[in-house]
Amino acid sequence: MGEGFKKFKRRIILNTWIRSILCGASCGLAAVGATMIVDKIADIGVRWTVYVLICAVGMLAAWFISFLLLRQSNGKISKRLDRQLGLNEKVQTMLEFCDDSGCIVELQREDTNSKLEELPTKGFALRRVWVGIIALVLSAAVLVFGILMPKKQQEAPYDPDYNMSEWQTVSLENLIQYVRNSRMQEDAKGQTVKELEGLLASLTDATKESQKKELVVDVIVNIKEIVDNYNAYGEVSSAMRESNFEHMMLLSEALNEFVHLPKSDSYDQLSDALDSDDGVQLSANISRFSQELQSCLRNYQDNRNAPLFVVLDGMYRDMEDLSKKISSNECSVETGRADLKELFSTVSDELHVVMSYEYENESTGNYAVSELMRIFGITDSDLPATSEKDEESPGLVDDEKNEDEDKEDDDDKELSDGGIGTGELIFGSDDIIYHPDDEAYVMYGEVLNDYYLKKIYEKLIDGNVSDEMRDYINNYLDMLIDGSARD
């Protein structure tokens, strides 16, 4: 092929590159502009790196596809030259017989090349380039429109004004006094009271409902964290039960029983299980128990300053020391058994105190949270999601108790176990109550006659009560003690 044909071929290839590049740039800019418009309308929040990626991918893909579609072979070029230049298939004939020799073929080839060399390439094959330029301008306009287009204005949710009512103020002050008078652990109590007092001060400055809700929810979350920081029963008890160690499962049950009672059947069973009149067996039992306890405590990674953890960790260390003394014959078997009994007795008292505090912490904390939600209209959906760990950890207080049971009419309550009531609360039965004089938890039946009824009968004897009121009181006492009422 002569220089004339190559001249036009270079021109056509250049045209193909220009058109494919224009197509790629147009598609890339249009894709970015369209994405930007959608982002402004839907408020998706697309990052700038995504725009760069969309532009690059769009340009490269469009350029590659358009180049494959627009490129032409020598045969297509020859047909195009004959058609556009009016050469009556001379270029096609030349290309067909380019490798042949002969006088006629050479003359035809020379004649065709001479005509191609005489024809100018200026303006050839540039007609459709303007289509690409127009497409690029339109795509740029789409991009500019996407940049200049304002974001869709989101209507602010309705946020009514808030002014703390007198009832809310009094209710919150009563709650603060309730917590202050509770039997929570002193540090936990002080932090909880501080949170509630801070809430009372902050709410006086709140002017919007959203501000009120945010302040109350923050305090609720903080109170829960305070209780979690001082209470270790949930995590420790779960670790004990999941260990599948018999001794640890008994100790877990004992911890729950120690909430109200100074003695625990599970704890006594545990003590009896470790005891032995054989020194080797006694040391092995104690060592096994201490290792199991250490394994459970090792899985507890939260607050290692929690009183329950401190008591159990001290128990583990004392048991380990006692096992070593018995195995090394530093003390006799009888002395070791006596030390084991004394150790269990001491730890029993400590666990009773600690678990009573944990119960009071959780009970008071739950009450404070429920009261805050009631006073300020906070729902469960307003609170942060509870972690799976918190959901799986058992508590000392049943949060799912149906409060509606307490509101049932007296006529619907059944007589059972010597008193009136429903569920776990049976008046006149042997429920565990707090005795203010002894400052301890005791059986209700043990103090019913000596304390409560004695004071009531003193009032009756004074003669300051009418006959009708005396009948009401006697009828109530009959139901309280016997579960029966006079006609």
Side-chain angles (χ1 to χ4, degrees), residues 8-26 59-72 77 80 124-126 128-133 136:
F8 281 96
K9 181 178 181 180
R10 287 193 295 268
R11 182 73 174 182
I12 292 174
I13 293 175
L14 176 62
N15 176 73
T16 301
W17 273 94
I18 293 174
R19 291 172 64 188
S20 61
I21 291 174
L22 289 174
C23 180
S26 300
M59 283 185 175
L60 290 175
W63 166 80
F64 181 73
I65 294 173
S66 61
F67 183 80
L68 292 179
L69 295 176
L70 294 175
R71 69 175 182 172
Q72 298 181 10
I77 293 175
R80 181 177 176 184
F124 181 79
L126 292 179
R128 297 182 181 179
V129 171
W130 295 105
V131 176
I133 295 175
L136 180 62

Side-chain angles (χ1 to χ4, degrees), residues 221-259:
V221 172
N222 292 341
I223 290 176
K224 290 183 176 181
E225 289 180 354
I226 290 171
V227 173
D228 290 341
N229 287 337
Y230 285 91
N231 282 20
Y233 169 77
E235 290 288 317
V236 172
S237 180
S238 294
M240 289 178 177
R241 288 200 302 273
E242 293 172 1
S243 69
N244 292 323
F245 296 140
E246 181 181 358
H247 293 160
M248 294 299 100
M249 296 179 74
L250 284 173
L251 183 55
S252 175
E253 294 176 8
L255 292 177
N256 194 38
E257 294 170 2
F258 276 132
V259 171

